[in-house]
Amino acid sequence: MARIKVHELRGKSKVDLFAQLKDLKAELALLRVAKVTGGAPNKLSKIKVVRTSIAQVLTVISQTQKSALREAYKKKKYLPLDLRPKKTRAIRRRLTKHQASLKTEREKKKEKYFPLRKYAIKA
Amino acid sequence: MQTSMDYQQVLKYPLVTEAAIQSIIKENTLVFMVDVCANKKDIRNAFENMLKIKTKKINTLINYDGTKKAYIQLPPENQAATIAKRLKILA
């Protein structure tokens, strides 16, 4: 079987991907039997290739699923917790940039009428 | 425990020790290493779905190192020797 190219996987439908996953796992099972019964070295070295292909297919499946979910929730107010940014607990509890930059009317007027002046001293 | 395993994860590989080959020839049973979380129902399921083989009786045991071994007896119509040749367990 040819080497899997991930960019080709991304175009496939979910059904195709699951079917491919099934084939790959069946192939892995055969290779494992070959390993136990003393198989040829070309079979044994193929085990690693098949395992990474299985991982690649599973990654593509979960990535497309996640991105589809994000699209579905884009306009909504509340996101599921695992789609929200993770960062750290403290960072999530901080004021947002917008909230921290808010000023009272009073403060805005002060800044407008009495800005910080720059002077130059004549030598 | 009602949850059943994904049938592709159940069977790991067949055993090809002297004792395992004897059981293929004499008792029409295949010996497989199996996932520890698998129960006999899962193993039967895996055989029927993945390998399309009917099973008569399954005995399991857990080895000292935490792996599970399953002795899978086949009904008389299925000859274990021919199946073992098909699966490349016997040469």
Side-chain angles (χ1 to χ4, degrees):
Chain A
M1 218 173 84
R3 213 171 136 253
I4 286 194
K5 300 216 169 108
V6 179
H7 66 92
E8 290 172 9
L9 286 178
R10 289 194 196 281
K12 290 193 181 177
S13 74
K14 209 174 183 185
V15 180
D16 286 342
L17 286 174
F18 276 114
Q20 185 156 24
L21 192 63
K22 205 172 155 194
D23 292 336
L24 284 172
K25 284 195 178 179
E27 195 177 338
L28 224 206
L30 287 177
L31 291 174
R32 288 233 164 93
V33 174
K35 184 177 171 194
V36 174
T37 59
N42 66 339
K43 278 197 183 164
L44 298 184
S45 64
K46 216 171 168 215
I47 281 190
K48 183 175 182 183
V49 176
V50 175
R51 287 178 71 212
T52 45
S53 329
I54 290 177
Q56 283 162 350
V57 174
L58 286 172
T59 303
V60 169
I61 290 175
S62 91
Q63 277 177 346
T64 47
Q65 192 174 43
K66 259 268 165 89
S67 66
L69 278 177
R70 280 185 202 277
E71 276 299 314
Y73 278 102
K74 213 164 197 180
K75 297 295 178 190
K76 309 253 180 95
K77 186 175 181 191
Y78 294 113
L79 279 179
L81 294 177
D82 60 337
L83 296 183
R84 299 187 198 180
K86 173 82 180 173
K87 306 216 168 177
T88 71
R89 193 158 197 263
I91 293 178
R92 279 179 267 143
R93 278 154 186 66
R94 290 203 293 232
L95 291 173
T96 65
K97 251 188 159 180
H98 178 252
Q99 289 166 347
S101 70
L102 288 177
K103 298 187 157 95
T104 58
E105 271 297 314
R106 193 162 192 269
E107 203 177 345
K108 282 189 208 164
K109 283 189 183 172
K110 268 193 183 177
E111 283 186 353
K112 184 176 169 196
Y113 293 122
F114 305 108
L116 196 66
R117 321 251 22 224
K118 259 190 184 174
Y119 301 103
I121 296 186
K122 218 161 144 186
Chain B
M1 292 265 269
Q2 293 297 321
T3 52
S4 59
M5 284 186 65
D6 173 23
Y7 65 81
Q8 288 174 320
Q9 308 261 55
V10 171
L11 303 173
K12 287 199 188 153
Y13 51 89
L15 271 189
V16 285
T17 58
E18 292 278 344
I21 306 280
Q22 288 297 315
S23 66
I24 291 180
I25 296 172
K26 288 192 182 165
E27 312 201 356
N28 213 34
T29 62
L30 298 171
V31 187
F32 268 79
M33 292 309 279
V34 145
D35 196 288
V36 201
C37 306
N39 46 19
K40 292 180 184 179
K41 285 186 192 169
D42 290 336
I43 298 172
R44 176 162 285 143
N45 217 11
F47 253 71
E48 317 246 303
N49 286 333
M50 264 187 91
L51 306 174
K52 319 276 187 234
I53 304 174
K54 282 240 172 78
T55 59
K56 184 173 169 197
K57 186 181 186 196
I58 299 178
N59 288 12
T60 55
L61 61 85
I62 298 188
N63 296 120
Y64 58 89
D65 51 1
T67 51
K68 199 177 238 184
K69 183 159 50 169
Y71 291 82
I72 301 154
Q73 191 180 21
L74 306 176
E77 317 92 66
N78 295 7
Q79 280 302 317
T82 39
I83 290 181
K85 286 210 177 101
R86 170 162 68 99
L87 297 177
K88 312 240 175 75
I89 304 172
L90 288 180

